[in-house]
Structure formats: structure tokens, C-alpha cells
Amino acid sequence: MSFAGVRQAFLQSCRAMAGEFPDLDAVRDWFAAKDRCHRFEVRQVPLASLNQWHYAPGPLRLVHRSGRFFSIEGIRVETGFGPAPTWDQPIINQPEVGILGLLAREIDGVLHFLMQAKMEPGNINILQLSPTVQATHSNYSRVHQGSAPRYLEYFTEPGLARVLLDQLQPEQGARFLRKRNRNMVVAVDGPVPMHEDFCWLTLGQIKALLAHDNIVNMDARTVVSLIPLADPDESPDYGLVDGVTGFGLDIYLSFCRSDKERHTMDRLMAWLTAGKARHAMRVLPLPLDRLRSWMVTDTDIRHESGLYFSVIGVDVAAKTRESTRWSQPLLHHKGQGLVGFLCQRHGGVLHFLARGSLEPGNRDGMEIGPTVACSEVAARSQRTCPPRFLEHFLDPEHLVVRYDTVQSEEGGRFYHFQNRYMVVELPPGQNLALPEHYIWMTLGQLWRMARHGHVNIEARNLIACLGLLETLP
């Protein structure tokens, strides 16, 4: 299938609100039934009592007995970018590349994606919809001595499926040290053996579920964000979106090529390259017990101010997982965060205000982030220097709120960490004074940057939530 054919199949799937499930209510009923029939146990415990985890010396860090999965280590950060010139923090070191994969097939002429009702110990509601395969290398190589993830072979064995998308993408640079995952979409022609915890959904159904809080998990969102809704090198084909209206049509047109783009791709690449060259961040490894202002105990690891995040331990029982019982550390954020894009029409084409984001865990310096991304937004909004443009999201009374939901972050590493995801539209012609690390981009330009690994996970997760939602019946 050509790129044009794949793109049209994706777009058709994005418009389809009926498929194996006749409507969204049927999807929600299936998901609610899964939630009722499974019983999971997640119990917070002291770090010192975690089975197979311990504090290892030289330098002090929290590790698994196998030496695999991940570790909690300390770093000191020094930079001239941003309000804080230096700080210490724990960070997750997980050098393995995991697989986040969606298996696709046509059903009655419409592309469907195999989604899993999957528990993660850190999810605020335990069960959420995940990609077909969501597994670290340690998991799918069975270090835990459990079973292999279902459907893994379609992503690892050549010839079983056609690869439609295969990209290495960065994880949260503020919490992971140079972590990347392989984001994949593969397609099969014939039937696939079904398991009761999996279901086939159209892309339109997935994006409609993203209009609701805490149903589609972070790992599914990052893969969905990479699925193109149009060819950004081609002009709009209005025949493909006949009946699409309002903001949904704006999203499609922002994905297509236009002579109304504020900046060329060459200009955007020069902006990002200059940011990488101009702004540096020095990251030094430190033992956990030498981190300034952090307390390391047998119970947890926490900042003495009570802000930021802590490292806690949990014991887990889940009969539906490859390993049915385990213990692990999780990063715990008490307050809700905010991830937001400002958007505005320039020459009639919707643009999004992107921000150069420099985090200690980034592999290659500055990445492209959303307009605003901050944890504990309530506390940060009270500081003397809150994040720039935050006020547009906290008080959007005279603006148009295009998207506003609460979504969980990755429940396998974060405990009850939620962000409010927002897209707020400014009136045309309203000028903003932009610092040098902000720039306007269309969705098509963001997608081009994302396919090369330049867009961070917060921005990708928000892009995933944008679809052709305003359509005629």
C-alpha cells in the first residue's frame, strides 16, 4: 500500500464512529464490563519492603535484583536555560527500548486497531485502554519469568505483518534519563486470534474516547499522535473530508500543505538547531543520598519542601498481567499538572504555539514541546514567575477552549499522575510577545518534526487528542 493509500485508510478510520462496535456507548459498556469483572490490588508499601528491589551502593541507587527493568538514580543539573540555574533530583534510568505497538486490520473496509484493557499500578482508575503491545525489553524477554505479551510476534517476527509506522520516540525528559520507545503500527490482512481483554476500535472511536478523562492511556496516545490525518506535502482534498465541519475541518487543513504557513520547514529546523546549539544542560550523576534537599529513607524518597514528586513503593496483584504479582517503585506527583497548546489562525490556517523544551533526560538537547507543560499547576501558578502563557489556560474566559480533559500519565512508572490537557484558541490578530524559544507551527509541521523524534511526549500526547470531532451525521 502506498503512503497515499495508507494515509487515506487512516483518514477513513478517523471518520468512522461505527465498526466492530456500533457506537461509542457500546465501547464504553465493554470497557466498564472489563473493569467490573477484574479485581486488582495495588498497595503502597515502604521502599525497603519491595520484593527484589534494594538500595545498591557505589553510587547509592534503587535497583532491581536482576539488574534489569529500571533504576532510580540521582542527578545534578546545571544550565543557563530557564528560571533555575541548578537543581538536584532523582530520575528513572531505563536504558532499554520498549515496544508500543498497534496492530491494525481492515474490517468491513475500515481500518481498525487492536486495543487492550490493561491495568497499570499507577493508573488512578487502574484499568485503561492501551496499545496492542506495551512492553519493556525486560518484560518481553521475560526477566520477570512470566508469560510473553500477547501479539508480540506481530511486531518482532518479520513477515507476519506489514509495517505502517516504526519510529523511536523520546519519553518524559524531566523524569526519564534519555529514554526512548519504539512506536509502531503494523497491519495484517487476515483474522487475528482474539483474547477477551482486547477489542478492535476505529481511529475515530479512539479519538472520541480521548474526549473523556482517563480512558486511553499515555502509551496509546503517543502512537496515535504519529498517525497522519493527511499528507502534509499535499494540498487539501476536500472530497476526503466531505461533511467535516468546524474545528474538525480546521485540524485537517492544518495538517495539509499550505502557502499560508507562517514559517517554512527550513526555518523551523534552523530555529530548533539554534536552540540546541545555544542552550546547554550539564547533567552529573550523583548518589541518591547526596542530592541537595532530598530525603532518602526506607519508606520513600521525597523533597524536603513537599513539592515536586516523591518515589514510593507498591505491591501489585493482577491476574491479567504477564506476571501476576510483583513489587516496584513509582514516581508520585500529588498535584495535577497542565499541558496546553495555544492555537491561532494565521491566513486562515490553524497554527499551534510550540516551545523549545530542554529537560535533563533529553538525549539530544532541546525538543519541541507544547506552549505550556508543568506539574503541580496550582502551586506553580502562585509563584512570582509562573510558566509563561499559563494565564491563558487558567483564565480562558474570553478565549475559545477547543479541548479540555484530564489524562493519566504512564501508570507503569507514575502513581496517580494526571495532567489537564487543553487547547485554547486565540482570536486572529491578537499578538503575543514571543521569547526566542517559542514559534508558531501547523499540525503538519509538528507531525513532520515528530516523525524524526524532535517533538516531546507531552506535545505528542496532546496532538493525539485532536481529531475530526465536528462532523455531520
Side-chain angles (χ1 to χ4, degrees):
M1 186 183 295
S2 66
F3 176 74
V6 170
R7 182 258 301 169
Q8 290 186 24
F10 284 147
L11 182 61
Q12 180 191 27
S13 182
C14 191
R15 299 193 62 187
M17 293 304 297
E20 282 286 274
F21 290 98
D23 53 38
L24 209 60
D25 287 339
V27 178
R28 287 197 291 259
D29 289 344
W30 176 87
F31 183 74
K34 291 298 164 189
D35 198 26
R36 288 192 301 269
C37 72
H38 293 312
R39 289 294 176 264
F40 309 107
E41 180 183 348
V42 180
R43 184 168 56 92
Q44 189 169 337
V45 298
L47 292 175
S49 69
L50 292 178
N51 183 33
Q52 300 192 60
W53 291 83
H54 65 281
Y55 284 117
L60 187 72
R61 61 205 187 280
L62 184 61
V63 300
H64 191 266
R65 185 178 66 181
S66 67
R68 302 286 297 278
F69 298 106
F70 64 94
S71 59
I72 306 294
E73 303 178 2
I75 57 171
R76 175 162 295 163
V77 184
E78 299 172 352
T79 182
F81 182 79
T86 182
W87 71 90
D88 295 354
Q89 68 168 87
I91 199 164
I92 302 170
N93 188 0
Q94 186 175 344
E96 303 174 344
V97 174
I99 293 177
L100 308 177
L102 283 173
L103 181 62
R105 68 178 286 245
E106 281 195 2
I107 301 175
D108 295 330
V110 177
L111 202 62
H112 285 61
F113 301 87
L114 191 60
M115 303 291 288
Q116 179 184 6
K118 184 183 181 75
M119 80 80 64
E120 290 287 2
N123 288 347
I124 195 163
N125 53 347
I126 302 294
L127 199 70
Q128 295 188 11
L129 287 175
S130 80
T132 317
V133 170
Q134 173 187 315
T136 66
H137 188 271
S138 290
N139 283 339
Y140 67 75
S141 58
R142 302 174 62 187
V143 174
H144 50 46
Q145 299 183 336
S147 58
R150 290 184 176 89
Y151 307 107
L152 175 67
E153 64 274 15
Y154 291 99
F155 300 89
T156 58
E157 297 182 17
L160 288 184
R162 301 188 312 279
V163 176
L164 304 184
L165 186 155
D166 189 359
Q167 299 171 16
L168 286 177
Q169 292 291 341
E171 298 292 300
Q172 290 95 336
R175 301 292 180 259
F176 286 96
L177 188 62
R178 297 187 289 275
K179 177 76 173 75
R180 293 186 298 178
N181 276 321
R182 191 177 180 187
N183 289 232
M184 302 181 69
V185 177
V186 302
V188 294
D189 295 321
V192 173
M194 287 297 292
H195 183 272
E196 62 180 357
D197 291 332
F198 291 75
C199 68
W200 292 104
L201 298 181
T202 68
L203 186 57
Q205 290 171 330
I206 296 170
K207 285 185 174 284
L209 289 171
L210 282 166
H212 301 269
D213 296 351
N214 294 322
I215 295 180
V216 180
N217 80 358
M218 187 202 80
D219 294 307
R221 296 195 302 267
T222 178
V223 182
V224 168
S225 74
L226 302 170
I227 295 176
L229 301 183
D231 185 342
D233 293 322
E234 297 291 336
S235 299
D237 184 341
Y238 288 92
L240 295 175
V241 289
D242 182 41
V244 178
T245 62
F247 194 63
L249 183 59
D250 293 332
I251 294 298
Y252 171 74
L253 296 178
S254 185
F255 224 104
C256 298
R257 184 179 64 80
S258 170
D259 59 4
K260 303 298 183 181
E261 293 167 347
R262 286 282 296 266
H263 306 288
T264 66
M265 284 302 299
D266 286 344
R267 168 72 183 96
L268 294 174
M269 278 304 307
W271 167 82
L272 181 60
T273 301
K276 289 177 180 289
R278 187 179 298 120
H279 302 293
M281 184 168 278
R282 188 181 184 207
V283 179
L284 306 171
L286 278 182
L288 287 172
D289 56 353
R290 288 183 54 197
L291 296 179
R292 296 171 299 191
S293 303
W294 288 84
M295 304 168 65
V296 181
T297 72
D298 286 344
T299 301
D300 59 14
I301 303 170
R302 63 186 184 277
H303 197 269
E304 62 186 18
S305 69
L307 297 175
Y308 309 110
F309 63 93
S310 59
V311 183
I312 64 170
V314 293
D315 279 339
V316 187
K319 292 183 178 180
T320 61
R321 290 294 300 266
E322 297 85 10
S323 179
T324 57
R325 299 195 72 93
W326 75 93
S327 299
Q328 69 170 94
L330 291 171
L331 269 58
H332 181 205
H333 294 74
K334 289 184 179 179
Q336 187 180 102
L338 190 144
V339 176
F341 265 123
L342 288 178
C343 65
Q344 188 179 46
R345 298 166 202 277
H346 297 279
V349 175
L350 204 61
H351 286 64
F352 294 78
L353 185 58
R355 171 181 53 90
S357 174
L358 186 59
E359 303 287 0
N362 292 0
R363 294 182 68 92
D364 187 29
M366 185 170 284
E367 296 174 348
I368 298 170
T371 315
V372 170
C374 65
S375 59
E376 298 178 323
V377 66
R380 295 199 178 200
S381 64
Q382 302 302 316
R383 296 181 184 177
T384 55
C385 294
R388 191 177 291 268
F389 304 121
L390 179 62
E391 67 276 9
H392 295 289
F393 300 93
L394 298 183
D395 185 21
E397 181 179 355
H398 302 295
L399 305 175
V400 181
V401 178
R402 293 298 189 179
Y403 182 82
D404 187 359
T405 66
V406 175
Q407 303 289 356
S408 295
E409 301 310 312
E410 211 276 292
R413 297 294 177 267
F414 304 113
Y415 184 78
H416 292 187
F417 183 23
Q418 299 180 98
N419 278 314
R420 184 182 179 189
Y421 280 79
M422 299 183 70
V423 176
V424 174
E425 184 174 354
L426 299 174
Q430 178 177 333
N431 292 322
L432 295 178
L434 299 184
E436 64 179 6
H437 59 289
Y438 288 80
I439 199 165
W440 291 102
M441 305 173 69
T442 66
L443 271 181
Q445 291 172 330
L446 279 166
W447 181 82
R448 286 190 190 98
M449 289 292 196
R451 69 188 299 205
H452 296 293
H454 295 312
V455 176
N456 72 14
I457 196 165
E458 291 86 0
R460 298 199 312 273
N461 269 234
L462 192 45
I463 291 168
C465 300
L466 302 176
L468 311 181
L469 298 180
E470 293 182 31
T471 60
L472 296 176

